[in-house]
Amino acid sequence: MTATIIDGTAVAEKVRAEVAERVAKRVDSGKSAPLLATVLVGNDRASASYVRSKHKACAEVGIETRGYQLSETATQSEVERLVSELNEAPDVSGILVQLPLPAHLHEHDILDLVSAEKDVDGLHPMNIGLLAMKDREPFHTACTPLGCIRLLEEYGAQIAGSHAVVVGRSNLVGSPVAQLLRNMDATVTVCHTHTQDLAEICRTADILVMAAGVGEMIEGNMVKLDAYVIDVGINDVWVDHPADTLYVSAETGDNFVAHRADESEKGGRRKQGVLQLSTEKAWFKADDAPEISKEDKISLFRKARMAGDVNFESVKHVASHITPVPGGVGPMTIAYLLVNTVNAAEILDAC
Ligand code: NDP
């Protein structure tokens, strides 16, 4: 028997359609479309790309967006001033500060300043606190945890009365998932790096949510028969690639990690980046990257694929339902950002 694959792309599509309908109804009734304001500080290309995809997803369901881009050297008070202005702006429904912020900025102080009603990422301490309280409701909860719960519901998981194990306790994923499951009457065990006998605990889970960020750490023998397995992890898997074959099989644009031959994997991580190649030499794109010559005694690991925290091939023979990576939890995160933004508009209406 193999597990039912939980199709996050299809469920996310359904969630987006629900949001589009809510937005259309608002507009038809004479209310303004929800508006998401995004704050991007600095030049991180990955962050800029995430923000672009959030804007695109908003546009597709009729949510308006306004992007604010501050320079890499923006001061704490400049960022805080912008957030305060957005808090006060009556047409702004939700505020999203794209993380990570440049190292000189105090992330906590900035996130704490976003008004709880407009905090569509669910990271304000008030929202996290309200989620943790019995019989209280936060204005917003983090998007990925909401997506995990929706996947469980869509695929018929019995949450009340189940034993749920969540591996990971971050404010963004692990802790809110655990709180949501607890609020839905599951008995929840939260695991982290100090947990003893992790495998033993995972084997008792009717619902296993993995949010550790450790590639394929969960094997089939760590999972209870017929469990629901939700894999939040997104990890790169690196495959050993002998240096002497580099010039034969590598291509410009491949993503590599290089290790010195005499160093351990962790300590030896010398450089990761996009490889550039000519007939005679190879080098990483970053300016400070050492050139890799044919004589170098280093090992190279080529980025092979994306993987979750779960060994999918092994676990799918034990679980009753499982999310793939990619195509499981990932698409749900942006879908729930859209949900939170419409919710934020409705909260503002009521103020
Ligand atoms: P964090 O690094 O903030 O948290 C990881 C958590 O896992 C910590 O609580 C840590 O414990 C725990 N942990 C790490 N290693 C182990 C281990 N070997 N055994 C048990 N527990 C362990 O990560 P995030 O919560 O932000 O993200 C988790 C994963 O989810 C990442 O792979 C991330 O890329 C992915 N992610 C995916 C999203 C999506 O849309 N699909 C969205 C957000 C994240 P401790 O507290 O003791 O350090």
Side-chain angles (χ1 to χ4, degrees), residues 136-185:
R136 296 293 298 271
E137 286 260 334
F139 294 104
H140 303 287
T141 300
C143 306
T144 307
L146 290 173
C148 294
I149 299 296
R150 178 67 182 262
L151 291 177
L152 287 168
E153 289 178 329
E154 286 284 330
Y155 281 82
Q158 172 66 40
I159 296 178
S162 69
H163 180 213
V165 172
V166 178
V167 182
R169 56 175 169 179
S170 70
N171 291 331
L172 187 64
V173 191
S175 293
V177 172
Q179 298 289 359
L180 287 166
L181 288 164
R182 189 207 58 171
N183 293 350
M184 297 174 79
D185 299 326

Side-chain angles (χ1 to χ4, degrees), residues 241 245-254 256 274-285 292 300 302:
H241 184 96
T245 65
L246 175 67
Y247 296 93
V248 182
S249 59
E251 288 174 16
T252 288
D254 277 355
F256 272 88
V274 176
L275 197 73
Q276 309 291 296
L277 276 179
S278 73
T279 46
E280 278 308 304
K281 61 180 185 176
W283 69 99
F284 287 104
K285 214 170 175 181
I292 303 165
L300 290 165
R302 190 208 296 252

Side-chain angles (χ1 to χ4, degrees), residues 144 167-174 191-195 198 210-214 217 231-235 309 329-334:
T144 307
V167 182
R169 56 175 169 179
S170 70
N171 291 331
L172 187 64
V173 191
C191 302
H192 43 75
T193 52
H194 298 267
T195 299
L198 182 76
M210 286 304 304
V214 180
M217 66 181 281
D231 189 358
V232 184
I234 300 177
N235 310 288
D309 290 354
V329 174
M332 297 299 287
T333 298
I334 288 192

Side-chain angles (χ1 to χ4, degrees), residues 19 37 40 98 120 127 144 169 171 208 270 310 315:
V19 172
L40 176 63
Q98 183 64 42
V120 287
N127 283 323
T144 307
R169 56 175 169 179
N171 291 331
L208 176 62
R270 188 167 77 165
V310 170
V315 172

Side-chain angles (χ1 to χ4, degrees), residues 12-213:
E13 198 55 49
K14 190 170 164 184
V15 175
R16 286 168 190 243
E18 290 164 3
V19 172
E21 198 180 323
R22 284 173 66 191
V23 172
K25 272 195 184 145
R26 275 184 69 79
V27 174
D28 285 351
S29 71
K31 291 180 180 151
S32 58
L35 192 154
L36 176 68
T38 59
V39 178
L40 176 63
V41 187
N43 309 316
D44 183 69
R45 281 205 287 169
S47 293
S49 152
Y50 294 142
V51 169
R52 273 196 305 277
S53 49
K54 288 168 187 174
H55 282 212
K56 183 167 172 280
C58 284
E60 283 165 6
V61 295
I63 294 176
E64 290 177 7
T65 52
R66 202 175 291 155
Y68 294 84
Q69 161 97 59
L70 298 183
S71 80
E72 185 77 32
T73 54
T75 62
Q76 182 76 17
S77 58
E78 281 170 331
V79 183
E80 291 187 0
R81 199 176 317 125
L82 173 59
V83 170
S84 300
E85 282 168 17
L86 296 174
N87 282 340
E88 295 305 320
D91 58 338
V92 170
S93 324
I95 302 170
L96 182 146
V97 178
Q98 183 64 42
L99 302 178
L101 291 166
H104 68 279
L105 296 172
H106 303 293
E107 188 173 296
H108 285 174
D109 292 343
I110 291 167
L111 294 181
D112 291 0
L113 200 63
V114 175
S115 90
E117 290 88 345
K118 296 189 178 186
D119 167 40
V120 287
D121 262 343
L123 290 174
H124 192 282
M126 186 183 199
N127 283 323
I128 293 178
L130 287 169
L131 180 66
M133 291 173 77
K134 192 165 160 56
D135 300 329
R136 296 293 298 271
E137 286 260 334
F139 294 104
H140 303 287
T141 300
C143 306
T144 307
L146 290 173
C148 294
I149 299 296
R150 178 67 182 262
L151 291 177
L152 287 168
E153 289 178 329
E154 286 284 330
Y155 281 82
Q158 172 66 40
I159 296 178
S162 69
H163 180 213
V165 172
V166 178
V167 182
R169 56 175 169 179
S170 70
N171 291 331
L172 187 64
V173 191
S175 293
V177 172
Q179 298 289 359
L180 287 166
L181 288 164
R182 189 207 58 171
N183 293 350
M184 297 174 79
D185 299 326
T187 302
V188 183
T189 304
V190 178
C191 302
H192 43 75
T193 52
H194 298 267
T195 299
Q196 306 287 315
D197 299 326
L198 182 76
E200 198 65 36
I201 296 170
C202 290
R203 268 194 292 274
T204 65
D206 304 307
I207 295 170
L208 176 62
V209 181
M210 286 304 304

